Amino acid sequence: MKKHNFYAGPSILPEDTIKNTADAIIDFAGMGLSLMEISHRSKEFVAVMDEAQSLFKELLNIPDGYEVLFLGGGASLQFAMIPYNFMQTKSAYLNTGAWANKAIKEAKGFGEVVEVASSKEANYNYYPKDFEVPKDADYLHITTNNTIYGTEIHHDIDVDIPLIADMSSDIFSRPIDVSKYTLIYGGAQKNLAPSGIAFVIVKMDALGKVDRYIPTMLDYRTHAEKGSMFNTPPVVPVYAALQTLKWLKAQGGVEAMYKRNVDKAAVLYHEIDTNSMFKGTVANEEDRSLMNICWVMAEGYEHYEKEFLDFATSKGMVGVKGHRSVGGFRASTYNALPKESVEALVSCMQEFKNLKA
Ligand SMILES: *Cc1c(COP(=O)(O)O)cnc(C)c1O
């Protein structure tokens, strides 16, 4: 039976990414050796790293003055590296969910943290937009897509201080104006590559403004100056990322992805809104994520939750269970997820209603 992969992360990747990476693990670049057993300083791997960085810049239209890095430690290490490198005394954070909270916790170890707004009182079911940013903060940190709660800001906001964004789960899902950000980062395992790397897009002239000693490996300059090759980078995830970037380009880039993602999400949200057995958890349409779509059983049907999950699983749906802090269901509709998977899920929801309602 065909499986439809709705996992939130690690999550679906393009078939090309998986196949080409598997091939390179056996025989990399015709060297007769595995990607896992060759020097990261070989000309063959250096070419992979260079191409991954340049395609990353091309696809997101990244202006001069920014570097793209691939670093170990996932997005979670970035929660600490950001204040380490950018926070002198005070920073500002928008609290839109569990990941934002983890970022806030790390920043608090470096000084004063101002929470500019929070949707916590509503279990993060909307994206706060009306807030004031303290002018004397070193930066504002936002999470553009909240993977757990299914909320997203769909445009690049304007602020008067440096803007830093966690784009773990929406990178490459829409065109972005990188020039509005000082730093963009994310774990690779939502929309780009297997886990093992975080991507970082950093504006170089914003670095070097804090007084503290920064340990070598935690200093963005270390990695930027060496093209992400200061030490041995996670070569397999970088290779896989390059395959995804090539796939993205062949599909028409982020504009084409955005169109597809809007189209896929509309199909599923329409079913959630019109099928009487279900209801969405994010009421405000403009806050609804295109990447992680959350819903629950409608009133009176709550007792069917487990039965629906089992039914969906029996039809080949994988990873549809909601995060424990929201409950219900979540379908992650990342770039690599084909529309036919969304249609299969929608058919499941309709069939279930016909059986039960
Ligand atoms: C998954 C996720 C993270 C954590 O990523 P790791 O690479 O596991 O540390 C951080 N932020 C967001 C928005 C995420 O979705």
Side-chain angles (χ1 to χ4, degrees):
M1 180 178 46
K2 176 157 174 44
K3 299 279 188 183
H4 298 282
N5 184 357
F6 295 99
Y7 272 125
S11 43
I12 188 165
L13 290 169
E15 278 173 27
D16 282 3
T17 299
I18 293 166
K19 186 173 178 310
N20 296 349
T21 306
D23 288 348
I25 285 174
I26 304 292
D27 180 0
F28 171 55
M31 292 173 83
L33 296 169
S34 168
L35 173 62
M36 300 190 293
E37 57 178 7
I38 50 101
S39 171
H40 62 294
R41 310 264 176 221
S42 63
K43 69 173 187 327
E44 289 85 353
F45 186 77
V46 170
V48 168
M49 180 60 95
D50 289 349
E51 192 179 0
Q53 287 166 343
S54 69
L55 255 182
F56 211 105
K57 288 181 180 169
E58 180 186 330
L59 284 163
L60 291 178
N61 210 0
I62 299 177
D64 289 346
Y66 288 79
E67 286 301 329
V68 172
L69 314 175
F70 298 112
L71 306 178
S76 296
L77 183 59
Q78 296 307 309
F79 296 159
M81 272 177 79
I82 287 160
Y84 229 125
N85 283 265
F86 290 101
M87 182 170 166
Q88 186 63 34
T89 51
K90 184 173 174 178
S91 61
Y93 280 71
L94 183 62
N95 181 1
T96 53
W99 295 117
N101 272 287
K102 290 188 175 173
I104 290 168
K105 174 174 181 287
E106 295 304 308
K108 282 185 172 163
F110 295 85
E112 186 189 348
V113 176
V114 179
E115 216 175 271
V116 294
S118 168
S119 47
K120 186 172 184 193
E121 86 290 350
N123 200 30
Y124 302 112
N125 70 3
Y126 69 96
Y127 203 103
K129 276 169 230 104
D130 201 15
F131 53 81
E132 249 178 72
V133 181
K135 292 214 168 10
D136 58 344
D138 297 317
Y139 60 84
L140 171 70
H141 177 284
I142 63 172
T143 313
T144 48
N145 182 65
N146 296 285
T147 322
I148 293 173
Y149 308 90
T151 63
E152 184 176 10
I153 181 105
H154 299 280
H155 63 274
D156 307 301
I157 63 171
D158 286 297
V159 284
D160 297 329
I161 62 173
L163 180 62
I164 293 183
D166 177 353
M167 293 197 185
S168 291
S169 48
D170 59 344
I171 191 74
F172 294 113
S173 68
R174 66 171 174 93
I176 50 173
D177 181 352
V178 174
S179 72
K180 291 194 173 174
Y181 300 86
T182 287
L183 186 143
I184 297 170
Y185 71 99
Q189 66 275 15
K190 310 282 164 59
N191 231 348
L192 184 64
S195 62
I197 46 170
F199 62 84
V200 173
I201 305 166
V202 59
K203 192 175 186 187
M204 292 305 292
D205 68 10
L207 293 171
K209 304 222 162 125
V210 292
D211 295 334
R212 71 178 62 84
Y213 168 75
I214 304 173
T216 309
M217 277 296 286
L218 300 184
D219 190 330
Y220 290 114
R221 288 170 299 183
T222 303
H223 302 285
E225 282 159 14
K226 298 281 188 223
S228 268
M229 296 275 253
F230 170 72
N231 69 328
T232 318
V235 294
V236 174
V238 171
Y239 186 86
L242 172 59
Q243 307 315 305
T244 302
L245 296 167
K246 287 182 175 174
W247 175 84
L248 278 169
K249 185 171 173 175
Q251 302 297 307
V254 286
E255 281 83 8
M257 279 302 130
Y258 179 64
K259 274 202 196 110
R260 259 195 230 181
N261 290 330
V262 167
D263 184 43
K264 284 185 294 186
V267 172
L268 185 48
Y269 281 121
H270 176 77
E271 184 61 25
I272 292 168
D273 288 341
T274 55
N275 186 320
S276 54
M277 289 202 93
F278 302 104
K279 81 169 190 248
T281 57
V282 179
N284 200 354
E285 244 175 77
E286 67 169 32
D287 293 348
R288 286 177 161 185
S289 173
L290 297 181
M291 296 282 98
N292 310 97
I293 299 176
C294 298
W295 74 103
V296 292
M297 301 302 309
E299 239 157 86
Y301 295 109
E302 292 92 342
H303 55 289
Y304 280 129
E305 182 170 312
K306 174 151 189 327
E307 215 177 316
F308 175 68
L309 261 185
D310 291 344
F311 181 76
T313 305
S314 77
K315 302 276 178 188
M317 306 302 133
V318 180
V320 184
K321 192 173 166 39
H323 189 275
R324 62 189 178 282
S325 52
V326 182
F329 318 102
R330 169 177 56 175
S332 297
T333 51
Y334 296 123
N335 285 338
L337 186 87
K339 188 175 179 185
E340 60 177 282
S341 288
V342 174
E343 286 165 347
L345 176 58
V346 163
S347 300
C348 250
M349 293 164 75
Q350 291 170 349
E351 269 181 67
F352 192 74
K353 182 186 158 196
N354 292 339
L355 283 172
K356 302 289 177 185

